[in-house]
Amino acid sequence: MQTLQFTAPPLPHYITSGLHTNKVGQIHPGRRNINVFDLLLVKKGTLFMEEEQETFEVRENHALILLPDRYHSGTKPGLIDTEYYWLHFQTEGMWTTIHTNHHLQSVKEEQPKPPHSAFLTRTFHLYVPQFTAMDQPQKAFDLIDQLTSLNEGLNMHQIRWQQQVLFQELLQRISASMQIQTTNTSRQCAELAAAYLRRHYQEEITAAQLGENTNFHPVYIARCMHRQFGCSPMEYLQRYRIDQSKLLLLQTDYSIARVAEEVGFNQGAYFTSCFTKFEGISPSKYRQRFR
DNA sequence: ATTACGTCTTAATAGCCAAG
DNA sequence: CTTGGCTATTAAGACGTAAT
């Protein structure tokens, strides 16, 4: 399964939506680089879709998000009339895809970076499954119905705002449908380990230590965290360290080496390379630019 | 401070197995 | 069918060092 990770702020925003019916035998048209995310939510029937070699059978109550930079098309005609919602949205922020399948390695495709407006911004991530069964489909249908009907309203600035709120709720619902798929205990294990990492990020941490302190086997922890967060424990730790370092860069005058040390890096040079890898810009440039 | 690169160490993961 | 552990393999990471 693939998960979309959005970095927020900025939040993804709603553009437009509608309800469409494909007659029996009708195939979804193929399109490339549509430049928006296209959410499909099937109300009745099944859509047979394909996106760059990956095929999806989007049945009733299932949601699929087509990505802006890929080619997609229908693979075969529907057996009955197929009724589905479509919704276009977009983000100004960064986003990546994460493969959470068993044997697929995690592949990141960094999107071109928009100007980072960070000034002590606390960023966070939204995780949204690309393809999922909706938990309470009727609620999602209602939301899109509302969104769509608002488009016909008059008081546009009011309405646009309201639409964004509704859209956020919809996104949340789609995201929540994913969390049900990971079971309780494995989530707990992942959260426990993550909490430990966040508490001790300033120290040197090994996988074995993490295991001892959480009373789980390191291998098992890695599996749970991958399910829950779509990344390995060490990658999680690094992300957190980099996040903390960003705060120090903006709030203090510590040298780069000092910052590196504060967030748990033993080597200044190594810190710089990691920071650049994640942020696409070196620590000192980051500091220069954002304060 | 940053980048580049070689070396050594570690973690991730597949693929087992056992127990509930 | 899920939890949880163990091991071998291998890919990735961390570090030392030096040049820019």
Side-chain angles (χ1 to χ4, degrees):
Chain A
M1 190 186 69
Q2 231 179 136
T3 303
L4 308 182
Q5 175 188 299
F6 295 96
T7 302
L11 291 165
H13 60 269
Y14 170 84
I15 299 172
T16 183
S17 58
L19 178 63
H20 185 80
T21 304
N22 275 355
K23 292 284 172 211
V24 185
Q26 206 175 337
I27 289 197
H28 198 91
R31 279 176 299 179
R32 178 184 304 285
N33 292 336
I34 54 175
N35 274 319
V36 292
F37 291 88
D38 192 358
L39 165 67
L40 302 178
L41 182 55
V42 175
K43 196 173 180 182
K44 202 182 103 194
T46 304
L47 279 176
F48 299 92
M49 297 296 300
E50 158 177 72
E51 187 184 64
E52 310 215 333
Q53 284 135 38
E54 206 170 347
T55 59
F56 300 94
E57 280 191 25
V58 195
R59 303 171 182 285
E60 253 170 52
N61 303 337
H62 280 63
L64 172 68
I65 299 176
L66 298 164
L67 306 184
D69 53 352
R70 297 197 187 163
Y71 175 77
H72 68 254
S73 64
T75 53
K76 51 181 171 179
L79 306 168
I80 56 169
D81 286 1
T82 301
E83 203 178 5
Y84 65 94
Y85 290 97
W86 56 272
L87 183 153
H88 290 171
F89 67 97
Q90 184 53 283
T91 181
E92 298 296 316
M94 283 182 290
W95 62 275
T96 65
T97 58
I98 300 170
H99 293 269
T100 47
N101 238 348
H102 323 288
H103 53 277
L104 284 173
Q105 71 277 43
S106 162
V107 177
K108 303 261 142 70
E109 17 177 282
E110 270 306 314
Q111 292 305 303
K113 234 175 181 355
H116 206 156
S117 58
F119 194 9
L120 305 190
T121 318
R122 288 287 231 174
T123 63
F124 61 101
H125 296 122
L126 318 183
Y127 296 96
V128 184
Q130 187 191 14
F131 179 56
T132 187
M134 291 304 293
D135 192 22
Q136 292 169 295
Q138 192 52 50
K139 299 231 166 128
F141 297 155
D142 291 347
L143 280 170
I144 303 190
D145 276 332
Q146 269 189 69
L147 279 164
T148 307
S149 62
L150 278 171
N151 279 330
E152 289 144 26
L154 293 172
N155 195 354
M156 274 326 268
H157 46 283
Q158 271 277 345
I159 282 170
R160 296 306 275 167
W161 188 7
Q162 200 179 343
Q163 282 178 325
Q164 300 311 325
V165 175
L166 292 172
F167 173 60
Q168 297 307 326
E169 192 184 332
L170 180 64
L171 263 191
Q172 226 173 38
R173 287 189 169 278
I174 296 173
S175 178
S177 73
M178 172 176 63
Q179 281 164 21
I180 288 163
Q181 285 162 25
T182 71
T183 55
N184 266 352
T185 50
S186 98
R187 182 156 79 242
Q188 272 168 27
C189 172
E191 296 289 359
L192 196 66
Y196 179 84
L197 292 175
R198 287 194 302 268
R199 272 202 311 278
H200 295 93
Y201 74 97
Q202 288 175 307
E203 308 152 27
E204 208 172 303
I205 302 178
T206 65
Q209 256 176 56
L210 178 62
E212 279 167 34
N213 285 288
T214 53
N215 294 319
F216 285 111
H217 192 104
V219 173
Y220 182 60
I221 295 171
R223 258 188 294 172
C224 292
M225 288 196 70
H226 202 268
R227 263 204 295 254
Q228 184 66 13
F229 301 109
C231 70
S232 66
M234 287 303 142
E235 189 181 337
Y236 183 94
L237 175 62
Q238 266 209 4
R239 283 209 148 84
Y240 191 74
R241 282 177 165 162
I242 300 291
D243 278 349
Q244 297 305 312
S245 77
K246 280 154 78 174
L247 292 177
L248 288 180
L249 287 170
L250 297 177
Q251 292 171 346
T252 72
D253 286 317
Y254 295 166
S255 68
I256 301 298
R258 172 82 192 276
V259 171
E261 209 186 313
E262 291 283 333
V263 299
F265 284 85
N266 294 325
Q267 220 96 163
Y270 184 52
F271 167 68
T272 300
S273 84
C274 287
F275 190 97
T276 312
K277 191 176 84 196
F278 277 98
E279 298 300 315
I281 177 176
S282 73
S284 56
K285 280 197 186 131
Y286 179 88
R287 172 179 267 165
Q288 251 175 51
R289 185 178 307 175
F290 296 121
R291 59 169 205 179

Short mmCIF file of all heavy atoms in Angstrom, two decimals, chain A residues 79-109:
data_model
loop_
_atom_site.label_atom_id
_atom_site.label_comp_id
_atom_site.label_asym_id
_atom_site.label_seq_id
_atom_site.Cartn_x
_atom_site.Cartn_y
_atom_site.Cartn_z
N LEU A 79 -19.10 -2.89 -15.14
CA LEU A 79 -20.12 -3.89 -15.45
C LEU A 79 -21.51 -3.33 -15.25
O LEU A 79 -22.49 -3.79 -15.84
CB LEU A 79 -19.92 -5.13 -14.58
CG LEU A 79 -18.50 -5.70 -14.66
CD1 LEU A 79 -18.26 -6.73 -13.56
CD2 LEU A 79 -18.26 -6.31 -16.04
N ILE A 80 -21.62 -2.37 -14.37
CA ILE A 80 -22.90 -1.68 -14.17
C ILE A 80 -22.62 -0.19 -14.19
O ILE A 80 -21.46 0.23 -14.21
CB ILE A 80 -23.55 -2.07 -12.82
CG1 ILE A 80 -22.56 -1.75 -11.68
CG2 ILE A 80 -23.94 -3.52 -12.80
CD1 ILE A 80 -23.19 -1.85 -10.32
N ASP A 81 -23.67 0.58 -14.18
CA ASP A 81 -23.47 2.02 -14.06
C ASP A 81 -22.67 2.30 -12.80
O ASP A 81 -22.96 1.75 -11.74
CB ASP A 81 -24.83 2.73 -13.95
CG ASP A 81 -25.54 2.77 -15.29
OD1 ASP A 81 -24.99 2.23 -16.27
OD2 ASP A 81 -26.66 3.31 -15.35
N THR A 82 -21.65 3.13 -12.94
CA THR A 82 -20.78 3.39 -11.80
C THR A 82 -20.88 4.85 -11.39
O THR A 82 -20.65 5.76 -12.19
CB THR A 82 -19.32 3.07 -12.14
OG1 THR A 82 -19.24 1.69 -12.53
CG2 THR A 82 -18.42 3.31 -10.95
N GLU A 83 -21.24 5.04 -10.14
CA GLU A 83 -21.45 6.39 -9.64
C GLU A 83 -20.32 6.72 -8.69
O GLU A 83 -20.05 5.98 -7.75
CB GLU A 83 -22.79 6.44 -8.89
CG GLU A 83 -23.39 7.81 -8.79
CD GLU A 83 -24.74 7.76 -8.07
OE1 GLU A 83 -25.13 6.68 -7.59
OE2 GLU A 83 -25.38 8.82 -7.98
N TYR A 84 -19.64 7.81 -8.95
CA TYR A 84 -18.53 8.15 -8.07
C TYR A 84 -18.37 9.65 -7.92
O TYR A 84 -18.70 10.42 -8.81
CB TYR A 84 -17.22 7.53 -8.58
CG TYR A 84 -16.75 8.08 -9.90
CD1 TYR A 84 -15.83 9.14 -9.94
CD2 TYR A 84 -17.22 7.57 -11.10
CE1 TYR A 84 -15.39 9.65 -11.15
CE2 TYR A 84 -16.79 8.07 -12.31
CZ TYR A 84 -15.88 9.12 -12.33
OH TYR A 84 -15.45 9.62 -13.54
N TYR A 85 -17.84 10.02 -6.75
CA TYR A 85 -17.48 11.42 -6.51
C TYR A 85 -16.06 11.66 -6.99
O TYR A 85 -15.21 10.78 -6.89
CB TYR A 85 -17.53 11.74 -5.02
CG TYR A 85 -18.91 11.75 -4.44
CD1 TYR A 85 -19.42 10.63 -3.78
CD2 TYR A 85 -19.71 12.88 -4.53
CE1 TYR A 85 -20.70 10.63 -3.23
CE2 TYR A 85 -20.98 12.90 -3.99
CZ TYR A 85 -21.46 11.77 -3.34
OH TYR A 85 -22.72 11.80 -2.81
N TRP A 86 -15.81 12.83 -7.48
CA TRP A 86 -14.43 13.23 -7.77
C TRP A 86 -14.17 14.56 -7.09
O TRP A 86 -15.09 15.37 -6.92
CB TRP A 86 -14.19 13.34 -9.28
CG TRP A 86 -15.13 14.28 -9.96
CD1 TRP A 86 -16.36 13.98 -10.47
CD2 TRP A 86 -14.94 15.69 -10.17
NE1 TRP A 86 -16.95 15.10 -10.98
CE2 TRP A 86 -16.10 16.17 -10.82
CE3 TRP A 86 -13.90 16.58 -9.87
CZ2 TRP A 86 -16.25 17.51 -11.17
CZ3 TRP A 86 -14.05 17.91 -10.23
CH2 TRP A 86 -15.23 18.36 -10.87
N LEU A 87 -12.96 14.73 -6.66
CA LEU A 87 -12.63 15.96 -5.95
C LEU A 87 -11.20 16.34 -6.25
O LEU A 87 -10.29 15.53 -6.10
CB LEU A 87 -12.82 15.74 -4.44
CG LEU A 87 -12.61 16.94 -3.51
CD1 LEU A 87 -13.43 16.77 -2.24
CD2 LEU A 87 -11.15 17.14 -3.12
N HIS A 88 -11.01 17.54 -6.68
CA HIS A 88 -9.66 18.02 -6.97
C HIS A 88 -9.12 18.82 -5.80
O HIS A 88 -9.82 19.67 -5.26
CB HIS A 88 -9.65 18.91 -8.22
CG HIS A 88 -9.91 18.13 -9.47
ND1 HIS A 88 -10.13 18.71 -10.70
CD2 HIS A 88 -9.99 16.79 -9.69
CE1 HIS A 88 -10.33 17.79 -11.62
NE2 HIS A 88 -10.25 16.61 -11.02
N PHE A 89 -7.90 18.50 -5.41
CA PHE A 89 -7.25 19.35 -4.40
C PHE A 89 -5.78 19.48 -4.75
O PHE A 89 -5.25 18.79 -5.62
CB PHE A 89 -7.47 18.79 -2.99
CG PHE A 89 -6.79 17.48 -2.71
CD1 PHE A 89 -5.57 17.44 -2.07
CD2 PHE A 89 -7.40 16.27 -3.07
CE1 PHE A 89 -4.95 16.23 -1.77
CE2 PHE A 89 -6.79 15.06 -2.79
CZ PHE A 89 -5.56 15.02 -2.15
N GLN A 90 -5.12 20.35 -4.04
CA GLN A 90 -3.71 20.61 -4.33
C GLN A 90 -3.04 21.09 -3.05
O GLN A 90 -3.69 21.47 -2.09
CB GLN A 90 -3.60 21.68 -5.42
CG GLN A 90 -2.20 21.98 -5.90
CD GLN A 90 -1.44 20.73 -6.33
OE1 GLN A 90 -0.96 19.97 -5.49
NE2 GLN A 90 -1.33 20.51 -7.63
N THR A 91 -1.72 21.01 -3.04
CA THR A 91 -1.00 21.56 -1.91
C THR A 91 0.16 22.41 -2.41
O THR A 91 0.75 22.12 -3.43
CB THR A 91 -0.47 20.47 -0.97
OG1 THR A 91 0.21 21.09 0.12
CG2 THR A 91 0.50 19.54 -1.69
N GLU A 92 0.45 23.45 -1.66
CA GLU A 92 1.59 24.31 -1.98
C GLU A 92 2.84 23.78 -1.28
O GLU A 92 3.94 24.22 -1.53
CB GLU A 92 1.35 25.75 -1.51
CG GLU A 92 0.16 26.43 -2.17
CD GLU A 92 0.35 26.62 -3.66
OE1 GLU A 92 1.47 27.03 -4.05
OE2 GLU A 92 -0.59 26.33 -4.42
N GLY A 93 2.61 22.86 -0.36
CA GLY A 93 3.70 22.36 0.46
C GLY A 93 4.36 21.13 -0.14
O GLY A 93 4.05 20.73 -1.25
N MET A 94 5.24 20.54 0.63
CA MET A 94 5.92 19.35 0.18
C MET A 94 5.04 18.12 0.39
O MET A 94 4.24 18.07 1.31
CB MET A 94 7.19 19.15 1.01
CG MET A 94 8.32 20.05 0.62
SD MET A 94 9.72 19.67 1.62
CE MET A 94 9.19 20.28 3.20
N TRP A 95 5.24 17.17 -0.45
CA TRP A 95 4.58 15.89 -0.21
C TRP A 95 5.44 14.78 -0.82
O TRP A 95 6.22 15.02 -1.74
CB TRP A 95 3.17 15.88 -0.82
CG TRP A 95 3.14 16.06 -2.30
CD1 TRP A 95 3.15 17.23 -2.98
CD2 TRP A 95 3.09 15.02 -3.29
NE1 TRP A 95 3.12 17.00 -4.32
CE2 TRP A 95 3.07 15.65 -4.55
CE3 TRP A 95 3.04 13.64 -3.21
CZ2 TRP A 95 3.02 14.93 -5.73
CZ3 TRP A 95 2.98 12.92 -4.41
CH2 TRP A 95 2.98 13.57 -5.65
N THR A 96 5.31 13.61 -0.28
CA THR A 96 6.03 12.45 -0.81
C THR A 96 5.13 11.23 -0.73
O THR A 96 4.10 11.26 -0.07
CB THR A 96 7.30 12.14 0.00
OG1 THR A 96 6.91 11.75 1.31
CG2 THR A 96 8.23 13.32 0.07
N THR A 97 5.53 10.19 -1.40
CA THR A 97 4.81 8.93 -1.24
C THR A 97 5.68 7.97 -0.47
O THR A 97 6.90 7.96 -0.60
CB THR A 97 4.47 8.29 -2.60
OG1 THR A 97 5.70 8.09 -3.31
CG2 THR A 97 3.57 9.19 -3.40
N ILE A 98 5.05 7.15 0.34
CA ILE A 98 5.76 6.16 1.14
C ILE A 98 5.17 4.79 0.84
O ILE A 98 3.96 4.62 0.88
CB ILE A 98 5.58 6.45 2.64
CG1 ILE A 98 6.12 7.84 2.96
CG2 ILE A 98 6.27 5.40 3.47
CD1 ILE A 98 5.77 8.27 4.36
N HIS A 99 6.02 3.87 0.53
CA HIS A 99 5.53 2.51 0.32
C HIS A 99 5.54 1.77 1.64
O HIS A 99 6.57 1.62 2.25
CB HIS A 99 6.42 1.76 -0.67
CG HIS A 99 6.34 2.33 -2.04
ND1 HIS A 99 5.45 1.88 -2.97
CD2 HIS A 99 7.03 3.32 -2.63
CE1 HIS A 99 5.60 2.57 -4.09
NE2 HIS A 99 6.55 3.46 -3.91
N THR A 100 4.38 1.33 2.05
CA THR A 100 4.33 0.61 3.32
C THR A 100 4.10 -0.87 3.11
O THR A 100 3.73 -1.59 4.02
CB THR A 100 3.23 1.18 4.23
OG1 THR A 100 2.06 1.34 3.47
CG2 THR A 100 3.66 2.51 4.78
N ASN A 101 4.31 -1.34 1.89
CA ASN A 101 4.14 -2.76 1.61
C ASN A 101 5.27 -3.56 2.23
O ASN A 101 6.32 -3.05 2.51
CB ASN A 101 4.12 -2.99 0.10
CG ASN A 101 2.83 -3.66 -0.30
OD1 ASN A 101 2.09 -4.14 0.55
ND2 ASN A 101 2.57 -3.69 -1.58
N HIS A 102 5.03 -4.84 2.39
CA HIS A 102 5.99 -5.70 3.08
C HIS A 102 7.37 -5.65 2.45
O HIS A 102 8.35 -5.34 3.11
CB HIS A 102 5.49 -7.13 3.08
CG HIS A 102 4.01 -7.22 3.25
ND1 HIS A 102 3.40 -6.94 4.44
CD2 HIS A 102 3.03 -7.50 2.37
CE1 HIS A 102 2.09 -7.08 4.30
NE2 HIS A 102 1.84 -7.41 3.06
N HIS A 103 7.46 -5.91 1.18
CA HIS A 103 8.79 -6.08 0.62
C HIS A 103 9.22 -4.91 -0.27
O HIS A 103 10.32 -4.91 -0.77
CB HIS A 103 8.86 -7.37 -0.18
CG HIS A 103 7.78 -7.49 -1.21
ND1 HIS A 103 6.52 -7.94 -0.89
CD2 HIS A 103 7.77 -7.22 -2.51
CE1 HIS A 103 5.78 -7.93 -1.98
NE2 HIS A 103 6.51 -7.50 -2.98
N LEU A 104 8.37 -3.91 -0.42
CA LEU A 104 8.79 -2.76 -1.21
C LEU A 104 9.60 -1.82 -0.34
O LEU A 104 9.17 -1.45 0.74
CB LEU A 104 7.56 -2.02 -1.75
CG LEU A 104 6.86 -2.70 -2.92
CD1 LEU A 104 5.57 -1.96 -3.24
CD2 LEU A 104 7.76 -2.76 -4.13
N GLN A 105 10.74 -1.45 -0.80
CA GLN A 105 11.53 -0.52 0.00
C GLN A 105 10.89 0.85 -0.08
O GLN A 105 10.16 1.16 -0.99
CB GLN A 105 12.99 -0.47 -0.48
CG GLN A 105 13.20 0.21 -1.81
CD GLN A 105 12.93 -0.72 -2.97
OE1 GLN A 105 11.97 -1.45 -2.97
NE2 GLN A 105 13.81 -0.69 -3.94
N SER A 106 11.17 1.62 0.93
CA SER A 106 10.57 2.94 1.00
C SER A 106 11.21 3.90 -0.01
O SER A 106 12.37 4.22 0.09
CB SER A 106 10.75 3.47 2.42
OG SER A 106 10.56 4.84 2.45
N VAL A 107 10.45 4.31 -0.96
CA VAL A 107 10.97 5.17 -2.01
C VAL A 107 10.42 6.58 -1.83
O VAL A 107 9.23 6.78 -1.72
CB VAL A 107 10.56 4.66 -3.40
CG1 VAL A 107 11.06 5.61 -4.48
CG2 VAL A 107 11.10 3.26 -3.63
N LYS A 108 11.30 7.52 -1.78
CA LYS A 108 10.84 8.89 -1.61
C LYS A 108 11.02 9.66 -2.91
O LYS A 108 12.07 9.58 -3.53
CB LYS A 108 11.68 9.59 -0.53
CG LYS A 108 11.67 8.89 0.78
CD LYS A 108 10.69 9.54 1.73
CE LYS A 108 9.97 8.50 2.55
NZ LYS A 108 10.80 7.86 3.50
N GLU A 109 10.07 10.39 -3.29
CA GLU A 109 10.30 11.32 -4.38
C GLU A 109 10.02 12.72 -3.88
O GLU A 109 8.88 13.11 -3.74
CB GLU A 109 9.44 11.00 -5.60
CG GLU A 109 8.26 10.10 -5.31
CD GLU A 109 7.40 9.87 -6.53
OE1 GLU A 109 6.62 10.77 -6.85
OE2 GLU A 109 7.51 8.79 -7.14
#
